[in-house]
Amino acid sequence: IHLPVAPLPPGRKTRLPDGIDNGESVPYPAAIAVIGESGHEKLLVAENLSDDVVLLDTATGAIEKRFDLSESDAVPSTYPIALAVTSDGQRAIVALWNASEIVEISLSHGLVMGRLALLKPLDSMSPGTHPCAMVLSPDERTLYVALANRDAVAAVNVGAGPFAVKGYFDTRLPDQSYFGAEPVALAVNADDSRLYVANMASDAIAVIDPGKLTPKFAKKGMVEPDGFIPTEWMPMSMVFAASPSGSKLYVATAKGKGAGPNNFPQRIVDSQTAARTGSSTYIGTLLYGSLAAIDEAEI
């Protein structure tokens, strides 16, 4: 499906390398969500470098609606990066990486309904919180949002009542007082009794009990994890799969066991891998990602 160059709204512009302002922007799809029944699907696409989200017909590729999520005359500036869509296909939430915000969209009415700041700094020049991953609770009343640059996860009310923050979870390791967890992926189990948070920088999955985030506790501070699951190098993605025979948490890491020391025989997976890597110690031939399957009953 071809994504055309995105026309910018009046007053918006993109500065080209030669210093010329342009009224169009490169889409750069960063997240997708499928909406609708089989055979009649529509696709919601977050266009990272165009500061917008588009709803398109998967059969024809035609764009049915373009949602403008820019906040200044310069594009890109908000950088939409993640999507969450309700099961009825009526609402979507978009994470704006550079704006430290999430945006609620009504897909049924084609409108941007509201914006919500997540620990957004008062100074526009200060580093943002970088919301980058989201997951809905099983009852779709709460949205969990990973804030990669704040070592925290926001719990947002998306059910009855106002579109507002309920509170925050801390994802740092015990006694870690400085920044460095960098949560980038989320998963929630079938009954919303456990929230799993992949900390890219600390190579661990934070295990959190969402039930501890009461209104009274939220006024005091962030809820801390119940514990951590060690992972291989740089966990980047997670999926929770519920099953009568036993639920599992699948964790993907970007760099697996790492490269190992210089001039040390590297692990050989098979003959094809050996032929590709040979005796080279170039870093690109030494790193392998990994996928772990963890039984929830053992956590």
Side-chain angles (χ1 to χ4, degrees):
I1 300 175
H2 175 68
L3 293 176
V5 172
L8 300 180
R12 306 286 196 252
K13 59 187 178 182
T14 293
R15 179 64 57 88
L16 299 178
D18 56 8
I20 298 176
D21 292 334
N22 188 37
E24 295 178 323
S25 183
V26 177
Y28 199 88
I32 58 174
V34 179
I35 302 168
E37 300 177 356
S38 178
H40 304 281
E41 300 97 340
K42 294 182 181 180
L43 204 62
L44 193 66
V45 184
E47 297 188 327
N48 188 257
L49 297 184
S50 300
D51 286 354
D52 65 15
V53 170
V54 295
L55 182 66
L56 57 84
D57 187 309
T58 58
T60 65
I63 293 177
E64 298 183 354
K65 177 66 178 179
R66 187 180 296 275
F67 298 89
D68 176 23
L69 304 181
S70 58
E71 296 184 356
S72 72
D73 60 353
V75 175
S77 63
T78 59
Y79 294 91
I81 195 170
L83 298 169
V85 179
T86 55
S87 57
D88 61 7
Q90 299 298 303
R91 302 165 65 203
I93 309 295
V94 188
L96 301 183
W97 170 269
N98 199 49
S100 302
E101 298 172 352
I102 56 175
V103 177
E104 181 184 16
I105 291 176
S106 171
L107 298 174
S108 56
H109 294 88
L111 298 172
V112 176
M113 302 300 292
R115 297 172 183 262
L116 182 63
L118 301 176
L119 299 177
K120 185 173 184 175
L122 297 177
D123 180 6
S124 62
M125 298 303 291
S126 296
T129 56
H130 294 344
C132 64
M134 300 182 291
V135 66
L136 285 163
S137 62
D139 61 9
E140 299 192 347
R141 296 178 181 176
T142 303
L143 177 74
Y144 301 111
V145 186
L147 305 178
N149 208 36
R150 187 59 176 79
D151 291 349
V153 173
V156 177
N157 178 55
V158 291
F163 180 51
V165 176
K166 294 181 177 181
Y168 294 92
F169 302 100
D170 195 334
T171 72
R172 292 173 296 180
L173 297 172
D175 300 321
Q176 180 183 343
S177 58
Y178 294 100
F179 171 79
E182 297 187 42
V184 294
L186 301 170
V188 63
N189 68 354
D191 62 2
D192 197 23
S193 63
R194 281 178 174 169
L195 173 66
Y196 300 105
V197 186
N199 285 329
M200 179 183 72
S202 56
D203 299 336
I205 305 299
V207 182
I208 292 172
D209 179 0
K212 292 183 176 181
L213 186 62
T214 63
K216 182 179 180 180
F217 194 100
K219 293 179 180 179
K220 297 180 180 179
M222 296 187 184
V223 174
E224 295 183 359
D226 287 346
F228 295 84
I229 305 170
T231 70
E232 293 191 334
W233 192 0
M234 197 175 289
M236 296 296 295
S237 182
M238 289 191 301
V239 173
F240 181 84
S243 169
S245 61
S247 300
K248 292 184 182 294
L249 179 68
Y250 294 94
V251 181
T253 70
K255 298 185 178 182
K257 296 182 183 299
N262 291 339
N263 300 318
F264 188 81
Q266 304 302 318
R267 58 192 181 281
I268 301 299
V269 179
D270 52 38
S271 58
Q272 184 178 8
T273 303
R276 185 177 73 249
T277 60
S279 60
S280 171
T281 56
Y282 170 59
I283 189 68
T285 68
L286 303 180
L287 286 172
Y288 298 86
S290 67
L291 178 64
I294 304 170
D295 289 327
E296 187 180 33
E298 298 179 0
I299 298 175

